[in-house]
Structure formats: structure tokens, C-alpha cells
Amino acid sequence: MEVVVKAENLKKYFPIKLGFFRTLFSKEELYVRAVDDVSFDIRKGEIFGLAGESGSGKTTTGRLLLRLIEPTGGKVHFRDKEITSIKDDEMKILRREMQIIFQDPYESLNPRMTVGDITSEPLRLLEKEMTPSDMDERVLQILEDVELTPPKEFVLRYPHELSGGQRQRVAVARAFVVNPTFIVADEPVSMLDVSIRAEILRLMMTLVDKYQASFLYITHDLALSRHMCDRLAIMYLGKIMERGDTEQVIFEPLHPYTKALIDAVPVPDPTAKRAETVIKGEIPSPVNPPSGCRFHTRCPQYIGDICRTKEPELIDVGNNHYVSCHLYGKEK
Amino acid sequence: MKAAEGVSFQLEKGEAMGLAGESGCGKTTVALSLLKILPQNGRVVNGKIVIAGTDIVPLSESEMRKNIRWKVISMVFQGAMNAMNPLYRVGDQIVEAIKMHEPEVHRKEAKERTAKLLEMVGIDPSRTDNYPHEFSGGMKQRALIAMSLACNPVVVLADEPGTALDVIVQAQVLRLMKELKDRLNLSMIMIAHDLSMIAEVCQKIAIMYAGYLVEYGDIVKIFKKPLHPYTTDLIESFPSIKAAKQEMVSIPGFPPDLLSPPPGCRFHPRCKYAMDICRKEVPILRENSPNHFAACHLVKD
């Protein structure tokens, strides 16, 4: 299948501002290594999941792909173009093909704009040659697509007149209105009540299918990503630990971190037995990530010095399943 | 506005009950009533709250503070990140809780107890003099749990103890709560919108909808054979990571406005099985089988 977006050795380091005296007297420069050498690709019409704990760099990765922030190193390819080095006006043309859906629909919609204004804004900014009547028609159609019916009534409403679920539908409509090729959804349902999550997710799946878009789904909820994504990448401290088809990653996890993460997900069944491998501690600071394998400080399958000293590479173990761990790869 | 109405449940010693429902269904109101810390404009209109043999509804504020809160019933507040005062050391905040409710305890003794409490929840006692910002999210949640146990309560209320934590840390916290409950023979009420978290810790579950208890009882029975359509939908809307891939279910519509709730059963506008009687008559909570109650016209017999 056609690759639409490709991340190649993507890196983003955020410098830490030191106090006045420390900048005077010390030469050290500290960085938060939010994303550190990440590569993957997303195909046409595919939902690609990026999962991990908070601070693992998943949101930063999403923003890098859209070039909302500039990478420290590495490249992003969009279709056949390398977009990390192109000029802003060239980027602006590409923007109509890339959209983002934010986490919190209570913050991401302008309270002073009507639903109609919110959904038509991308058209006004990006589709300069579109006539107002075409725009109206497109807005009504996309509102119909996101099941805000009757659309004519919703066009005039303000965000405060909508429920959380309806707001997120507006955010979805705003993203899809320009018929984009690539969409990043950053935890799109984590602020919503469980009873309405499923319908928003289903809606996004339908739209991805309908518009044949590529979709990056950023989440910390593995149970949901399993139902949503075609492929899944697990991130830890700025690195991809494991990547593969969703069913493979969830049911045959290879990396000890993936295993621990899956075991930790609570199961809605009071008779289910919890696996006993709950790992200790919390995610270390990305300022000074552990040497070697970044997970070695918490790893239940630590195999010795190699984990502490040598950084494992993301290797192919067959069937498009990649893992970055010293436990694997030797047998090859 | 009637935030919670006709809610009755019973909790034995050493038992954990989950209180579940969508946002705005009255879970937190019930919890705050149990401690009598409702906001200024809220009050318990009628009903009884009997904890360890005492009805606390007629008690005055000072009696509550002196004899009930923290000594009999305590609370782990929601939002581990913000529930502690950032200007005081973690240890001192726990010492303060002890001194507040047991003024006769000497400061030195309170400090020793604090160290023991922190150790019990898995925090090294050397960290007592740290400020909250020096603690990670999971440690703050642990410290709050330690604080709730400061005066050896009989009942602990935990409001969304696992939310806002990462899965791995959340699993650690849930395990800790389960261990403490068994070790100290605590009764626990866990408020959560996440049924899977309740399934991990609790033996009983109470499901609320728009201020009413719709189903209540033994958790295994309810998960296996839910009686109320709302419970069924709620359970099905939780995807399981382990079970077979199934169609994701959601409940159409949204909870009613409690200022003008629908007549009859409050769930009827969203219910697939709504009948005529559902629009007219409020169903009462009745025992369908031992330790399994439901309030629905469908389960009359």
C-alpha cells in the first residue's frame, strides 16, 4: 500500500532554560529528549496508533509530523516530498492536506464562533478559490457526515450549547472538512464519558474509510487502540520499543515493556486474574534518560550489562513486527 | 436541584464497593454526603447515614470533625496532582491531619506515625520532608492514601483514585489499595467512572444514573447478568484488551438535565426497551436475587 507519511530518524530535543547564574558559570546544556530517533510510516487509509505513558513523546511526534514544531534532527516525508526543509509558503499549501484533532473539545473550539464558522474556517483559510455557497454546502455535508443532524440547525449553535460528544464531533468535522490526506488525533476521546467514546471512535473510523485518509491515533489507552488501529507503535521515553500489526503487538507482545503495559490494563471482568508482572517505579526523566536500553531500570527481564551499556536497535523479527530489545535479534 | 435521590446501600466491614456512573450522575454528591462536606448550597434533605452504628445526619459540624471525620470515615480525594498543599512538606501535611483530629497526640508521636504510614504505602520514610512537587504522580496518590489512613478509619472513600495516572502506576495504586483493604480490614467505597478499575478492587458495585441507584449488589453477579439496560450498556461500552474484538457499543444520547429530569424512569429516553410504564412510574430498587438489586420495570417478577 502507498505510504503517505514517513518519519525518518525523527528527533526533538527541547532545551531547558537554566537560571541566570548557571548559564554564566556552566557550559552544560540540558535537553529534554522528547523524541529520540523515531522512524515509522503510515499508509493510505490506515489508522496507525502511537501508544505510551505520559512523557513518552507521542504528542511531540504527532506535532513533528505536521511540522507544528521543528525537529532537531531527522526527516518527515509527506507523500513523495520531504517537508522538514521546505519553505513556509510551500508548507502552507500542504497544510490543507494535514489536520489535527485535539484532546479537549472544551478548549479547542472558540467559544465566540458558531459551529458553522468553526467548520468553515479551514476552508476560508486554505481553499481561497472556493465560493461562499460551495463552502456552505460543504459545511452542511460534513456536519451530516459527523451526524450533527439537522446540520442547518447546528450551524448556528455555539460550542456552549453542545455536549462534550457533540463538541468533539465538531472538532472532527473541522479536521475532515478540507478533505485531508493525513490527520493526527491526539487522545481524541480521553475527555469524554465512556458511554459516548465508542461512537466518536466509530465515527472517525467511518470517515477515515470514506475519505481514504491516513490517521495517526495518539493514545494511552491500549484497550481502545486495539479496537481502533491497524498498526500500533509503543513508545517509551522518546523511542519506539515495539511496532507491528495491532493484534500482534497486543496478543504476542515481545518487548518486556509492552508486556508490562498490557498486563497493567484493567480488565472489566471481576473474575479475571491479574497477571503478576506489575513493574516497579515510574517513567524516568527524559532529561537524563537511562543509558543503553531506556527501559533497563524497570525491566523485569534484564539480562545483564548489555542492557545498561548498549542501546538496542529496532529490529525486524518477521511479519512486519519490530522490537527494540536485546532479548531478540541474537538468533538471527 | 436534586443531585441524588433515594440512594441506599450497605457495606460490610472489609468490603469494597464501587460507585459507578457517567459524569454528573451523583456519585461524588453521595460521597460528599457521607462525610457531610457538601458545598454550602447542598444538604442532605432526608435519609440516614449510619456508619459504624452512628447516624451522622443529625450530628453537628464540630461533632463531625471531632468524632467522625478521619477517625471513622476518611477520604482520598480526586486529582492526586492538586489535592496537596504545594507549600507544605508532605510529611507535615499528614502530621497536621493527625493533630487536627486527635489533638491529644504529641507531635513527635504523630511524626512517627506518619513515617509508618508512608512506609505502609510504599514510600521511603526518608521522603517525608519533601514537598509535593518532588513527588511523582504515583507517589502523590500513595501519600494521599497514607493521609486517609492517618487516624485508623473504618471506612475509606476514594474518589477516582486511578484516573489521571498512567496504566502501570494505576495498576500499582489499585494493587496497593486492595492490599491495604485486606490487611487493615477496611471498608472501602471507590468512586470511579471506569468499571474495569472497580472490577479489579471491589466485591460490590452500585451503578448510578441521573441521581438514582439503578443497580446494586455483588459485582460478579452484576457483570455476569446485568438486569438494568443501563448497566448492560455501560459494561458493553468498555472495550476489553483481552476479549475477542467486538463491536464497540455506546449509549445514544446523553444524561438528562437534573433540573428538569424526565418523568418516570430517568433512563427511559435512552433505553431500548422503554415501555409505557417507564414514562410514568419511577421504578423502585428491589432485590431480584440475593445481593442483587435493580430498579427497572423489566425485572418486576
Side-chain angles (χ1 to χ4, degrees), chain A residues 249-276:
Chain A
V249 174
I250 302 283
F251 288 101
E252 296 151 42
L254 295 174
H255 200 287
Y257 177 63
T258 319
K259 289 181 191 166
L261 207 56
I262 291 168
D263 284 344
V265 176
V267 181
D269 175 5
T271 52
K273 279 266 181 297
R274 159 84 90 187
E276 288 300 306

Side-chain angles (χ1 to χ4, degrees), chain B residues 48-86:
Chain B
K48 269 187 185 173
I49 303 168
V50 181
I51 306 170
T54 336
D55 181 5
I56 61 161
V57 174
L59 294 187
S60 71
E61 178 58 28
S62 70
E63 278 172 313
M64 275 303 290
R65 192 180 313 152
K66 226 157 73 197
N67 303 322
I68 305 292
R69 273 183 220 137
W70 246 250
K71 286 185 183 164
V72 180
I73 180 165
S74 69
M75 184 155 183
V76 182
F77 286 95
Q78 183 175 8
M81 300 299 163
N82 315 315
M84 265 187 286
N85 187 333

Side-chain angles (χ1 to χ4, degrees), chain A residues 53-54 193-195 198-199 202 222-224 226-227 261 264 266-268 270 274 276 278-282 298, chain B residues 22-23 136 138-139 166 168-170 172 175 196 200 223 238-241 243-251:
Chain A
E53 294 176 89
S54 30
D193 253 322
V194 197
S195 56
E199 55 185 56
R202 204 164 29 206
L222 282 174
L224 279 181
R226 180 196 153 206
H227 290 264
L261 207 56
V267 181
R274 159 84 90 187
E276 288 300 306
V278 172
I279 51 171
K280 286 192 205 74
E282 291 174 48
R298 300 165 79 191
Chain B
E22 290 169 276
S23 17
S136 67
M139 285 170 77
D166 278 315
I168 289 180
V169 182
Q170 181 184 307
Q172 294 165 353
R175 170 177 291 195
S196 40
E200 294 278 324
F223 269 77
F238 276 89
S240 169
I241 195 164
K245 201 166 178 165
Q246 86 256 30
E247 182 75 356
M248 283 185 292
V249 180
S250 56
I251 311 172

Side-chain angles (χ1 to χ4, degrees), chain B residues 58 128 154 197 222 301:
Chain B
T128 32
V154 186
M197 262 165 11
I222 290 183
D301 22 88

Side-chain angles (χ1 to χ4, degrees), chain B residues 233-278:
Chain B
D233 287 355
L234 200 62
I235 291 173
E236 277 178 4
S237 64
F238 276 89
S240 169
I241 195 164
K242 301 270 164 64
K245 201 166 178 165
Q246 86 256 30
E247 182 75 356
M248 283 185 292
V249 180
S250 56
I251 311 172
F254 35 88
D257 180 0
L258 290 180
L259 284 174
S260 51
C265 170
R266 291 189 170 178
F267 187 57
H268 85 253
R270 297 172 81 186
C271 183
K272 323 182 242 235
Y273 310 106
M275 307 171 288
D276 255 358
I277 187 171
C278 304

